[in-house]
Amino acid sequence: MLRKKTNGVARRPQRTTLLSEAANATVDRRAFLRGSGLAIGGLAAIAATGGAVKPASAAAGAVSGNVETIKSVCTHCSVGCSVVAEVSNGVWTGQEPGWDSPFNLGAHCAKGASVREHAHGERRLKYPMKKEGGEWKRISWEQAINEIGDGMTSIREESGPDSVYWLGSAKHNNEQAYLFRKFAAYWGTNNVDHQARICHSTTVAGVANTWGYGAMTNSYNDIHNSKAIFMIGSNAAEAHPISLLHILKAKEENNAPVIVCDPRFTRTAAHADEYVRFRPGTDVALVWGILYHIFENGWEDKEFIRTRVWGMDQIRDEVAKWTPEEVERVTGTPGEQLRRVAKTLANNRPGTVIWCMGGTQHTNGNNNTRAYCVLQLALGNMGTSGGGTNIFRGHDNVQGATDLGVLSHTLPGYYGLSNGAWGHWARVWGEDPEWLAGQFGSITGADGKEKSLQNLTGIPVSRWIDGILEEKDNMDQNDNVRAMVLWGHAPNSQTRQVEMKTAMEKLDMLVVVDPYPTVSAVLHDRTDGVYLLPACTQFETRGSVTASNRSLQWRDKVVDPLFESKTDHEIIGLFAKKFGFADRFFRNIEMEDEVTPNVESVTREFNSGLWTIGYTGQSPERIKLHMANQHTFDRTTLKAVGGPADGDYYGLPWPCWGTADMKHPGTPNLYDMSKSVADGGLTFRARFGVERDGDNLLAEGVYSKDSEIKDGYPEFTMQMLMDLGWDGDLTADERAAIDAVAGPKTNWKTDLSGGIQRVAIKHGCAPFGNAKARAVVWTFPDPVPTHREPLYTPRRDLVADYPTYEDRKFYRLPTMYASIQKNDFSKDYPIILTSGRLVEYEGGGDETRSNPWLAELQQDMFVEIHPRDANNLGVRDGSQVWVEGPEGGKVKVMAMVTERVGEGVAFMPFHFGGHFQGQDLRAKYPEGADPYVLGESCNTAQTYGYDSVTQMQETKSTLCKIMPA
């Protein structure tokens, strides 16, 4: 009998009814491997006694005949591990990890080792359904599209296009993500977003506004070269397990000290040479406490700062306030320990900084991410192998979906929403800009003038609840959200579940497009107006996906769509046809049939427009070539050594400049001037002008290898080429394309020929210029990263010194800060509540809790409580408790009494759903589509709180009280 892992205490088995039936069967080794789809050695830690789960009938088939191997990419985290599927007679019968992959090197975590189950899982949504009279009824695709389309058209006519919210997914491949954002544009709304908003939006904003691009600067593999590894708010051992291969390689071979800063002693912290515990929500104070010692002792890289950084003097002024005594008062971390950390980082360069959602999900998350960047700038660890900011993204294609613009504040490629941005994409799409503008609604501004909503940021996913519930007179759109499309999204991954339930019930229509029903199907008490549309998994289609390090990989289709599921791009085509714009939408894209676009043709369309971030050189053919020749790429540098991709970096990490014909190799490490731009080198981006308050913002006397301009320079335009006398290098076709855009005013981002980029690189220059990184972001609420107490803080003594922001409106909605923080909740809710990941599950958990191999490993939702707190509350290990938040939401969960958390801190994982405030919702799922494991969502007890720049939700620092159940 399998027993649940705990903090060292064996417990009685805790089985769900569904699992207990399977547990009674005995399984030999061959049956185990066949049932799990694993190769020998995979998932060795799982007891074979619980695995006799019958395959879904639609996937059943004898394993006979020839076995075909098909290469794909894991659909869980952002490492990008290769999966080699074994297919017989169209049935996925087994799998191996990709031994040739430079990312996973023949390894899998528990989730990756069991991905076959997603494509064969019994708990899949099998056909379209609608809720009618309180019952789930099977319907046809034709009926579903017609009813949904007619309902949305009616809402549009009554309330405008912004009353339908299109919530996309980090689980879409790049082609589907691109089509999804384009679809929202053709529908006429910026009310479109996806999971990046609630995982790394503060990273993207903070990092992009520091040095130009908002992405991981180096790679998992480049960590092999690190001499020190500083991790903050990252539990990589559970969230990105295969990344530990690369981290531990540096630890063992380089003797690189690993420093882990986290309020909780995680599995990652167990690998640390130095574990730093600090109070949740005090990251800026902690980092400034480290920088205090670096500046005090002169350990900063003065020459790097002089030549490549602007604003460090203002940082020094702020850091000087953070004496060891003040840092300890705010964070709880001893000053002497931070001096030791500072000295370790100074003595072991280059070092890398790694962070994840522990640092991003705060009301001042943008301050946290910029503080991490400033630390690296001060140490001179940027633009070098072994250094950089290695930002571990969450979902498998959250990087790609972000790059492709599934966001409420920008079009694909981070072009923004200005008229110029819309003009660029209208040219790419071959669309009439006036027709496109006419699809959008408008509002009357405070000045009495009409403003098009085409140029106004939409409601972010973190606030769609308020798009429904807020008084419409308080919103910057004409009416509330009335129809919600959750397309590959787990709503239990969002805070304020009690209000979410109310919002779902107020909608005219709720549409879920997903391989699984998700919590969206059961959280509410609706009796009608809910549609469930079965989408394929990514193993039933093909397309590109972008790993955290910016490398693109290609998934080949493993099996045909199961049951009645359809690919996401076909479903988009069905809706485009229903709304009458399919011909315009697909005008430049080859079609497989009337509604299904050719995937490779979609890749080529976004190749033709994504000049800002260099998604232009990765043609389908080049990406596929890399996948077929993974064995030729060096495991550390990622550079191909011979073979058909000789000289390329694996996956052509963006920016891959120019057209595919230019054969740019990709950029493995951003801002590395030791290489020529043509060979993957780069400068800091000249994104913020050339001068500020009389100070030069361009680089001082430094430049990338082979640059013909031996100093800093602005971004390239046609006029700049003319001034330099380099315009003669343009071909006639390139010149004609440039003249067709804006003549001399055309820049490297809007030139559809790629000529400006090609010529700049020919002369050794970066198309986006050569500037200084800016340590001070004058366009943000806090130009210098500043510590601010969380809205729900237990430290009332610090509120006066470090207050939050004043309430304000942005992203169309009023947003509260000071009006919440002024209330003292800490007496009734004395324990800090934080949340995070488990190795067994992913995201909202619907897929992974529906996987019997993973469900067997973690069957209970729980809360970690420190022994002192548990004893004071009368709580025993393994007992049931209520965890209640200050906004009234509460969850009933199992107590895990452990010293992983510090005194006064509680932790819950966020992967569970299907219970709500003590109520089991299993009966509300469509028959046979309920996950094996259900549990309370920690976000039912989580509270209001949003980042001051991006509206990121705050999940890492709120308050709660815990009571025996």
Side-chain angles (χ1 to χ4, degrees), residues 4-12 877 897:
K4 182 177 170 64
K5 299 190 302 293
T6 69
N7 56 330
V9 181
R11 293 187 180 146
R12 66 188 182 282
D877 185 57
V897 179

Side-chain angles (χ1 to χ4, degrees), residues 696-737:
N696 175 34
L697 295 180
L698 301 178
E700 303 266 8
V702 291
Y703 41 87
S704 52
K705 181 183 177 183
D706 297 333
S707 173
E708 293 181 22
I709 301 178
K710 309 297 185 183
D711 205 352
Y713 49 87
E715 63 178 356
F716 274 78
T717 63
M718 178 60 176
Q719 185 64 57
M720 186 169 165
L721 290 186
M722 294 163 63
D723 293 344
L724 291 166
W726 296 351
D727 58 309
D729 293 331
L730 293 167
T731 67
D733 287 345
E734 288 170 341
R735 188 178 289 272

Side-chain angles (χ1 to χ4, degrees), residues 311-329:
M312 193 62 82
D313 287 345
Q314 294 178 58
I315 299 293
R316 287 178 186 272
D317 292 342
E318 176 65 21
V319 168
K321 304 172 187 176
W322 289 95
T323 62
E325 295 74 23
E326 184 63 5
V327 173
E328 184 166 1
R329 182 172 84 100

Side-chain angles (χ1 to χ4, degrees), residues 266-329:
T266 62
R267 294 186 183 186
T268 306
H271 293 282
D273 297 278
E274 181 92 47
Y275 168 61
V276 180
R277 194 191 292 276
F278 67 104
R279 178 168 65 92
T282 62
D283 298 58
V284 173
L286 188 85
V287 174
W288 284 174
I290 295 168
L291 263 184
Y292 179 91
H293 295 289
I294 290 171
F295 288 149
E296 279 284 297
N297 291 280
W299 294 334
E300 73 273 24
D301 188 329
K302 298 177 181 62
E303 182 62 11
F304 183 91
I305 293 170
R306 184 187 71 81
T307 58
R308 301 195 70 186
V309 183
W310 180 86
M312 193 62 82
D313 287 345
Q314 294 178 58
I315 299 293
R316 287 178 186 272
D317 292 342
E318 176 65 21
V319 168
K321 304 172 187 176
W322 289 95
T323 62
E325 295 74 23
E326 184 63 5
V327 173
E328 184 166 1
R329 182 172 84 100

Side-chain angles (χ1 to χ4, degrees), residues 55-275:
S57 58
V63 182
S64 62
N66 294 328
V67 175
E68 180 184 8
T69 58
I70 300 171
K71 191 176 291 183
S72 188
V73 178
C74 179
T75 55
H76 289 300
C77 83
S78 66
V79 175
C81 299
S82 289
V83 176
V84 179
E86 298 166 354
V87 180
S88 179
N89 296 327
V91 178
W92 188 356
T93 59
Q95 72 175 78
E96 287 271 2
W99 295 93
D100 291 336
S101 167
F103 293 161
N104 57 308
L105 307 169
H108 266 334
C109 72
K111 293 188 289 286
S114 59
V115 290
R116 189 192 75 98
E117 193 63 34
H118 297 324
H120 283 184
E122 289 185 328
R123 321 311 289 180
R124 286 270 295 269
L125 183 62
K126 298 176 178 64
Y127 33 74
M129 305 187 83
K130 65 181 289 190
K131 202 162 200 182
E132 191 174 80
E135 300 292 329
W136 290 112
K137 295 187 177 181
R138 180 176 181 173
I139 59 175
S140 68
W141 271 99
E142 182 180 15
Q143 180 183 348
I145 296 296
N146 283 333
E147 289 186 10
I148 294 167
D150 290 343
M152 288 182 176
T153 300
S154 177
I155 290 170
R156 180 191 180 97
E157 290 170 353
E158 295 170 11
S159 301
D162 290 295
S163 285
V164 179
Y165 195 108
W166 299 90
L167 177 46
S169 183
K171 295 302 186 189
H172 288 153
N173 62 32
N174 286 327
E175 291 72 23
Q176 293 162 346
Y178 170 75
L179 289 175
F180 194 88
R181 184 59 180 93
K182 182 179 179 181
F183 180 91
Y186 273 64
W187 170 261
T189 188
N190 292 322
N191 281 344
V192 56
D193 215 11
H194 82 292
Q195 291 83 8
R197 179 73 55 187
I198 55 176
C199 63
H200 269 291
S201 63
T202 47
T203 291
V204 176
V207 176
N209 278 280
T210 298
W211 46 54
Y213 283 147
M216 188 175 188
T217 62
N218 293 40
S219 68
Y220 295 104
N221 300 69
D222 186 66
I223 296 170
H224 302 176
N225 298 311
S226 299
K227 299 298 190 290
I229 300 166
F230 181 87
M231 306 178 74
I232 183 166
S234 168
N235 182 14
E238 298 204 66
H240 307 86
I242 301 305
S243 72
L244 265 289
L245 287 175
H246 305 289
I247 292 168
L248 294 180
K249 180 180 175 71
K251 177 180 169 70
E252 294 165 9
E253 295 185 2
N254 303 345
N255 200 26
V258 175
I259 300 160
V260 174
C261 304
D262 201 294
R264 176 174 172 255
F265 189 82
T266 62
R267 294 186 183 186
T268 306
H271 293 282
D273 297 278
E274 181 92 47
Y275 168 61

Side-chain angles (χ1 to χ4, degrees), residues 518-540:
T518 78
V519 172
S520 302
V522 300
L523 178 62
H524 50 80
D525 291 326
R526 298 182 66 103
T527 58
D528 52 32
V530 185
Y531 292 86
L532 305 179
L533 304 183
C536 293
T537 69
Q538 288 298 314
F539 298 114
E540 296 150 72

